[in-house]
Amino acid sequence: EKGTYPHYMLKEIDEQPFVIRTIIQKYSNDNGELVIDQNILGAINQADRLYIIAAGTSYHAGMVGKNIIERLAKIPTEVHVASEFGYNMPLLSEKPLFIFISQSGETADSRAVLVQIKKMGYQALTITNVPGSTLSREADYTLLLHAGPEIAVASTKAYTAQVAVLSILAEVVARSKGLPIDVDLVHELGIVASAMEELCDTRDAFEQIASDYLSFARSSFFIGRTLDYAVCLEGALKLKEISYIQAEGFAGGELKHGPIALIEEGTPVFVLSTQENVNLPIRGNVKEVAARGANACIISMKGLEMDGDRFVLPQVHELLTPLISVVPMQFIAYYAALHRGCDVDKPRNLAKSVTVE
Ligand code: M6R
């Protein structure tokens, strides 16, 4: 039930710190070490390449997961949009393992791929919020998100749960391979949960941003590089699906290859900067759009902030920034939709789970 909340989406955004803490607990042993099922670990360690298959928000979580898995566990990982993969299968490695990411576990596009790869004799792991869902039953292994029911069509806490579980998977695999791990993930995820709480407490700031930048907007852009790029795609999806404002996410470096032609006087451009190695390049992109009249709203992370940034996020580990930079995106979309009188929890033309191909 949504209790005193006006919308499920708002409740589910607020639940994120709790979800992260629940995940830490569910995936820890009595010694406080992160653990996952030995069979899953075995399957991953036998694979020479991981193929993440997902749709929508889960695909965006997969993009982040790929990055974390490659950086911590050093396993080459590809991420594919489910609806494309089935019809245009890439050349597979010798020993692939498939990872299906799906909040509902019922997405038809993902299931079509699962059926196909099972026929080919490959193994699959499903990461889902719904025990007993189709994708969970039909895969060889399941990891649960433990996020609690997600009712709003716009996915929020499932995304952060997916990223958290993928990061745990990456850490446990890295440890099992004896790789040097320079991140204390339990500690860092704890910091993330507190940072999320702080952000939920400052929701008014994001309501003000939605009002300042999006009140009269017909279109908007989200730009970032590396991990921020993945979160920009998610921010744009959130905004378009519930507020119906056209929203596009771009990699900062791609702007000058076309999209910058769309920038007009007053066009809102949301900019994320949480990664030290691309802080200066993304700032260069801000100058490019500002010179064309864009109304840039820069959201940076503590330690990387510069004069004129609209909001500074609390500092978290650089691999985990997508868990917190997404929170302002969720709130901005929520308030933009609310101000426009949209049906936040049940946007037009959309269903919570897409069970047709
Ligand atoms: O249940 P799934 O995670 O498989 O759903 C995938 C997408 O349909 C879903 O993430 C969709 O993009 C959301 N409405 C986005 O907020």
Side-chain angles (χ1 to χ4, degrees):
E1 260 317 296
K2 62 179 189 258
T4 53
Y5 282 95
H7 297 100
Y8 281 107
M9 183 180 177
L10 194 59
K11 173 171 178 270
E12 290 162 5
I13 294 173
D14 262 4
E15 282 171 349
Q16 292 177 110
F18 174 74
V19 171
I20 297 295
R21 293 192 179 110
T22 305
I23 289 172
I24 299 174
Q25 189 217 324
K26 295 276 183 191
Y27 284 94
S28 296
N29 65 13
D30 293 344
N31 302 326
E33 276 172 356
L34 292 169
V35 279
I36 57 167
D37 184 287
Q38 283 299 325
N39 296 324
I40 298 178
L41 210 52
I44 292 178
N45 279 331
Q46 272 173 23
D48 61 355
R49 187 173 283 257
L50 305 178
Y51 292 81
I52 296 178
I53 311 288
T57 289
S58 299
Y59 171 73
H60 298 150
M63 288 176 75
V64 175
K66 167 199 156 71
N67 230 287
I68 301 179
I69 291 169
E70 290 193 336
R71 278 160 73 173
L72 291 184
K74 313 276 185 227
I75 305 175
T77 303
E78 297 182 16
V79 199
H80 293 271
V81 168
S83 58
E84 282 292 301
F85 189 91
Y87 297 99
N88 189 16
M89 203 176 284
L91 203 54
L92 298 177
S93 67
E94 254 173 58
K95 294 185 217 152
L97 178 76
F98 287 83
I99 301 181
F100 291 84
I101 306 180
S102 174
Q103 187 285 132
S104 63
E106 301 297 341
T107 297
D109 292 323
S110 300
R111 177 163 188 256
V113 178
L114 176 57
V115 170
Q116 235 178 309
I117 63 102
K118 286 307 296 173
K119 270 198 197 127
M120 294 164 79
Y122 297 125
Q123 289 210 314
L125 158 67
T126 289
I127 301 182
T128 183
N129 203 24
V130 184
S133 56
T134 307
L135 288 174
S136 167
R137 280 186 281 111
E138 296 182 358
D140 302 271
Y141 314 102
T142 298
L143 285 177
L144 290 175
L145 296 174
H146 300 291
E150 191 182 65
I151 310 291
V153 164
S155 183
T156 53
K157 63 177 179 173
Y159 168 88
T160 40
Q162 286 161 348
V163 172
V165 169
L166 286 162
S167 70
I168 290 172
L169 188 71
E171 199 258 9
V172 176
V173 171
R175 206 156 13 94
S176 77
K177 290 169 75 174
L179 293 170
I181 308 167
D182 54 4
V183 38
D184 175 352
L185 201 59
V186 172
H187 176 69
E188 297 297 343
L189 285 172
I191 293 177
V192 162
S194 307
M196 282 174 159
E197 240 151 27
E198 214 180 290
L199 292 172
C200 290
D201 289 343
T202 34
R203 72 192 59 199
D204 292 356
F206 305 124
E207 179 165 18
Q208 193 59 50
I209 289 176
S211 149
D212 291 352
Y213 288 84
L214 295 170
S215 288
F216 304 103
R218 284 190 303 123
S219 64
S220 61
F221 299 95
F222 291 73
I223 63 168
R225 288 170 178 251
T226 70
L227 283 176
D228 293 331
Y229 168 48
V231 180
C232 282
L233 293 182
E234 174 58 8
L237 175 61
K238 222 80 306 170
L239 185 64
K240 74 182 99 176
E241 80 173 324
I242 60 170
S243 76
Y244 317 139
I245 299 170
Q246 187 179 0
E248 303 301 335
F250 294 112
E254 273 295 289
L255 282 180
K256 55 184 171 302
H257 300 288
I260 202 164
L262 294 166
I263 302 291
E264 293 174 348
E265 197 58 43
T267 304
V269 178
F270 295 93
V271 184
L272 274 184
S273 184
T274 71
Q275 302 293 307
E276 191 175 6
N277 69 327
V278 286
N279 193 28
L280 291 180
I282 195 70
R283 303 285 174 171
N285 299 135
V286 173
K287 287 201 184 105
E288 289 162 8
V289 294
R292 273 90 182 171
N295 193 11
C297 173
I298 306 171
I299 299 178
S300 57
M301 194 172 70
K302 196 154 185 271
L304 302 178
E305 74 270 33
M306 292 191 183
D307 281 352
D309 290 0
R310 179 63 192 250
F311 192 86
V312 181
L313 297 161
Q315 198 167 15
V316 300
H317 190 282
E318 66 165 2
L319 277 180
L320 302 178
T321 59
L323 289 169
I324 63 151
S325 57
V326 77
V327 178
M329 307 278 116
Q330 297 166 343
F331 276 123
I332 291 168
Y334 174 78
Y335 286 113
L338 195 68
H339 294 163
R340 286 181 183 229
C342 301
D343 188 346
V344 172
D345 283 340
K346 285 200 174 67
R348 69 187 183 203
N349 308 341
L350 289 168
K352 179 63 182 160
S353 38
V354 184
T355 51
V356 287
E357 267 186 76

